[in-house]
Amino acid sequence: MKRLLMVLGLVSTLAYGDIRFAQPEPSIEKPREVVMGISHGDDESIHHGLSTANNVLKFYGPEKIHLRIVAYYHGIRTLLKSEKEIAVRVRALQQYGVEFVACGNTMETKKITPDQLDDDVEIVSAGIAEVIERATEGAFYIQP
Amino acid sequence: MKRLLMVLGLVSTLAYGDIRFAQPEPSIEKPREVVMGISHGDDESIHHGLSTANNVLKFYGPEKIHLRIVAYYHGIRTLLKSEKEIAVRVRALQQYGVEFVACGNTMETKKITPDQLDDDVEIVSAGIAEVIERATEGAFYIQP
Amino acid sequence: MKRLLMVLGLVSTLAYGDIRFAQPEPSIEKPREVVMGISHGDDESIHHGLSTANNVLKFYGPEKIHLRIVAYYHGIRTLLKSEKEIAVRVRALQQYGVEFVACGNTMETKKITPDQLDDDVEIVSAGIAEVIERATEGAFYIQP
């Protein structure tokens, strides 16, 4: 039996325990805080960003990660209602608790109005400042 | 009157208070420390980097942000005197206190001499190490 | 003599002391912790990443830096045995103690098997999570 548990333990190590968690481990009470910036507007960059978000959710579990995605510069395209295919992925991530934020500076430059954005998207005046403030609070910043 | 203040308060919230500041808030005594790397050399990347710097200055106010921009790899082009149009923007940012730093490794590889750089640019031996050391001190690192 | 020392001091300042170290300075006991992500797969991006690693090693000295390079998304190409020219550079960096890590999610998507990777490469289930966990522990994250 002990041997079996050890074997099971080993299997579990290979399958899930490969990444050594930093201390304290992420938990429901204290999830990992991550802020992601998306600044490129081509299909591949946007889908790569959203897939990275997926991988992060899958690894930690949605309840142990607090992920905010800030779209700015050409990356604002991520949040346009008119981009149907992308909008479906954004909606799916939102349903797992991922938050999306649009950069007001970018919207002004590109003449994008709030009603052109997906539902439940926050707007901040400066996307880059949102990233700096959340990171100053301890969030980890990734630009995939 | 109270109503008026509330209305004014609301307006002010929409216009400036949209991003929740991390604690302690940035101040003249303790400005936000940000180090930006520019590593790409195409027009768009460089102008995007400088516009990001502008947005950061505008959001925090020049006296509440300490911004160092490290140009390395192809991004060294940001600091070439011969790039007249870019140099005007660099000079304007310098006048608001933004510091520019050139990577010595890059200068050696690309055979760029100090006199080819804009005025008031610091040179360090390794741009990437400058970024690491400032970030270790607590600066927030952005690569726009 | 004092004058000579001052002159030597100055020379030394120009040559090595140009970057002000954060405190505590990196040491053999407590090297700087850096985690680098490589996500692009074109020749230039990969070689730029490896050259950045070289510059970091050269600046700190191999024993005062602990560098982990996580290859994911198209950047996984960095670790393919079949890429002979890149593999030589990877091997050289490994001999200076640089650690290379492959993203299991990427391997699954791109149908890459462990035997196709260079020797002494670690595999983790999610490259992005490895980056987040090491950074949470205090490593500095660069995406060159």
Side-chain angles (χ1 to χ4, degrees), chain A residues 33-63:
Chain A
E33 300 280 341
V34 176
V35 59
M36 181 192 294
I38 299 187
S39 62
H40 292 287
D42 56 296
D43 274 5
E44 185 170 353
S45 295
I46 290 175
H47 283 291
H48 171 49
L50 299 177
S51 296
T52 301
N54 259 325
N55 285 339
V56 164
L57 281 182
K58 194 172 72 174
F59 178 80
Y60 289 101
E63 73 288 356

Coordinates of all heavy atoms in Angstrom, one line a residue, chain A residues 33-63:
Chain A
E33 N -1.7 37.1 -8.4 CA -2.2 38.3 -9.0 C -1.4 38.5 -10.3 O -0.1 38.6 -10.2 CB -2.0 39.5 -8.1 CG -2.8 39.4 -6.8 CD -4.2 39.8 -7.0 OE1 -4.6 40.4 -8.0 OE2 -5.0 39.5 -6.1
V34 N -2.0 38.5 -11.4 CA -1.3 38.6 -12.7 C -2.0 39.7 -13.5 O -3.2 39.8 -13.6 CB -1.2 37.3 -13.5 CG1 -0.6 37.5 -14.9 CG2 -0.5 36.2 -12.7
V35 N -1.2 40.6 -14.1 CA -1.7 41.6 -15.0 C -1.0 41.4 -16.4 O 0.2 41.3 -16.4 CB -1.6 43.0 -14.5 CG1 -0.2 43.4 -14.2 CG2 -2.3 44.1 -15.4
M36 N -1.8 41.2 -17.4 CA -1.3 41.0 -18.7 C -1.6 42.2 -19.7 O -2.7 42.7 -19.6 CB -1.9 39.7 -19.3 CG -1.3 39.4 -20.7 SD -2.3 38.1 -21.6 CE -2.1 36.7 -20.5
G37 N -0.6 42.6 -20.4 CA -0.8 43.6 -21.4 C -0.9 43.0 -22.8 O -0.1 42.1 -23.1
I38 N -1.8 43.5 -23.6 CA -1.8 43.1 -25.0 C -1.7 44.4 -25.8 O -2.6 45.3 -25.8 CB -3.1 42.3 -25.4 CG1 -3.2 41.0 -24.6 CG2 -3.1 42.0 -26.9 CD1 -4.4 40.1 -25.0
S39 N -0.6 44.6 -26.5 CA -0.4 45.8 -27.3 C -0.3 45.6 -28.8 O -0.4 46.6 -29.5 CB 0.9 46.4 -26.8 OG 2.0 45.6 -27.0
H40 N -0.2 44.4 -29.2 CA -0.2 44.1 -30.7 C -1.6 43.8 -31.2 O -2.3 43.2 -30.4 CB 0.8 43.0 -31.0 CG 2.2 43.4 -30.8 ND1 2.9 44.3 -31.6 CD2 3.1 43.1 -29.8 CE1 4.1 44.5 -31.1 NE2 4.3 43.8 -30.1
G41 N -1.9 44.1 -32.4 CA -3.2 44.0 -32.9 C -3.4 42.9 -34.0 O -4.5 42.7 -34.5
D42 N -2.4 42.2 -34.3 CA -2.5 41.2 -35.3 C -3.2 39.9 -34.7 O -3.1 39.7 -33.5 CB -1.2 40.8 -35.9 CG -0.2 40.4 -34.9 OD1 0.2 41.2 -34.0 OD2 0.2 39.2 -34.9
D43 N -3.8 39.2 -35.6 CA -4.5 37.9 -35.1 C -3.7 37.1 -34.2 O -4.1 36.6 -33.2 CB -4.9 37.1 -36.4 CG -6.3 37.5 -36.9 OD1 -6.8 38.5 -36.4 OD2 -6.7 36.9 -37.9
E44 N -2.4 36.8 -34.7 CA -1.6 35.9 -34.0 C -1.3 36.4 -32.5 O -1.4 35.6 -31.6 CB -0.3 35.6 -34.7 CG 0.5 34.5 -34.0 CD 1.6 34.0 -34.8 OE1 1.8 34.3 -36.0 OE2 2.4 33.2 -34.2
S45 N -0.9 37.6 -32.4 CA -0.6 38.2 -31.1 C -1.8 38.1 -30.2 O -1.7 37.8 -29.0 CB -0.1 39.6 -31.2 OG 1.1 39.7 -31.9
I46 N -3.0 38.5 -30.7 CA -4.1 38.5 -29.8 C -4.5 37.0 -29.4 O -4.7 36.8 -28.2 CB -5.3 39.1 -30.5 CG1 -5.1 40.7 -30.7 CG2 -6.6 38.9 -29.8 CD1 -6.1 41.4 -31.5
H47 N -4.5 36.1 -30.3 CA -4.8 34.7 -30.0 C -3.8 34.1 -29.0 O -4.1 33.4 -28.1 CB -5.1 33.9 -31.2 CG -6.4 34.2 -31.8 ND1 -7.6 33.8 -31.2 CD2 -6.8 34.8 -33.0 CE1 -8.6 34.2 -32.0 NE2 -8.1 34.8 -33.1
H48 N -2.5 34.5 -29.3 CA -1.5 34.0 -28.4 C -1.7 34.6 -27.0 O -1.6 33.8 -26.0 CB -0.1 34.5 -28.9 CG 1.0 34.2 -27.9 ND1 1.2 33.0 -27.3 CD2 2.0 35.0 -27.5 CE1 2.3 33.0 -26.5 NE2 2.7 34.2 -26.6
G49 N -2.1 35.8 -26.8 CA -2.4 36.4 -25.5 C -3.5 35.7 -24.8 O -3.4 35.3 -23.7
L50 N -4.6 35.4 -25.6 CA -5.7 34.8 -25.0 C -5.4 33.3 -24.6 O -5.9 32.8 -23.6 CB -7.0 34.9 -25.9 CG -7.4 36.3 -26.2 CD1 -8.6 36.3 -27.2 CD2 -7.8 37.1 -24.9
S51 N -4.6 32.6 -25.5 CA -4.2 31.3 -25.2 C -3.3 31.2 -23.9 O -3.4 30.3 -23.1 CB -3.5 30.6 -26.3 OG -4.3 30.6 -27.5
T52 N -2.5 32.2 -23.8 CA -1.7 32.3 -22.6 C -2.5 32.4 -21.3 O -2.3 31.8 -20.3 CB -0.7 33.5 -22.7 OG1 0.1 33.3 -23.8 CG2 0.2 33.6 -21.4
A53 N -3.6 33.3 -21.5 CA -4.5 33.4 -20.4 C -5.2 32.1 -20.0 O -5.3 31.7 -18.9 CB -5.6 34.4 -20.7
N54 N -5.6 31.3 -21.1 CA -6.1 30.0 -20.9 C -5.2 29.1 -20.2 O -5.6 28.3 -19.3 CB -6.4 29.4 -22.3 CG -7.8 29.4 -22.7 OD1 -8.7 29.3 -21.8 ND2 -8.1 29.6 -24.0
N55 N -3.9 29.1 -20.6 CA -2.9 28.2 -19.9 C -2.7 28.5 -18.5 O -2.6 27.7 -17.6 CB -1.6 28.3 -20.7 CG -1.6 27.6 -22.0 OD1 -2.4 26.7 -22.2 ND2 -0.6 27.9 -22.9
V56 N -2.8 29.8 -18.2 CA -2.6 30.3 -16.8 C -3.8 29.8 -16.0 O -3.6 29.2 -14.9 CB -2.5 31.8 -16.8 CG1 -2.7 32.4 -15.4 CG2 -1.1 32.2 -17.3
L57 N -5.0 29.9 -16.5 CA -6.2 29.5 -15.8 C -6.2 28.0 -15.6 O -6.5 27.5 -14.5 CB -7.5 29.8 -16.7 CG -8.0 31.2 -16.7 CD1 -9.3 31.2 -17.5 CD2 -8.3 31.6 -15.2
K58 N -5.8 27.2 -16.6 CA -5.7 25.8 -16.5 C -4.7 25.3 -15.5 O -5.0 24.4 -14.7 CB -5.3 25.2 -17.9 CG -5.6 23.8 -18.1 CD -5.4 23.3 -19.6 CE -3.9 23.3 -19.9 NZ -3.6 22.8 -21.3
F59 N -3.6 26.0 -15.4 CA -2.5 25.6 -14.5 C -2.9 25.9 -13.0 O -2.8 25.0 -12.2 CB -1.2 26.3 -14.8 CG -0.1 25.9 -13.8 CD1 0.6 24.7 -14.0 CD2 0.2 26.7 -12.8 CE1 1.5 24.3 -13.1 CE2 1.2 26.4 -11.8 CZ 1.8 25.2 -12.0
Y60 N -3.4 27.1 -12.8 CA -3.7 27.4 -11.4 C -5.0 27.0 -10.9 O -5.3 26.8 -9.7 CB -3.5 29.0 -11.2 CG -2.1 29.4 -11.3 CD1 -1.6 30.0 -12.4 CD2 -1.2 29.3 -10.2 CE1 -0.3 30.4 -12.5 CE2 0.1 29.7 -10.2 CZ 0.6 30.2 -11.4 OH 1.9 30.7 -11.5
G61 N -5.9 26.9 -11.9 CA -7.4 26.8 -11.5 C -7.9 28.2 -11.4 O -7.3 29.0 -10.8
P62 N -9.1 28.4 -12.0 CA -9.6 29.8 -12.1 C -9.8 30.5 -10.7 O -9.7 31.7 -10.7 CB -11.0 29.6 -12.7 CG -11.0 28.2 -13.3 CD -10.0 27.4 -12.6
E63 N -9.9 29.7 -9.7 CA -10.2 30.3 -8.4 C -8.9 30.7 -7.6 O -8.9 31.3 -6.6 CB -11.1 29.5 -7.5 CG -10.5 28.2 -6.9 CD -10.2 27.1 -8.0 OE1 -10.6 27.3 -9.2 OE2 -9.6 26.1 -7.6

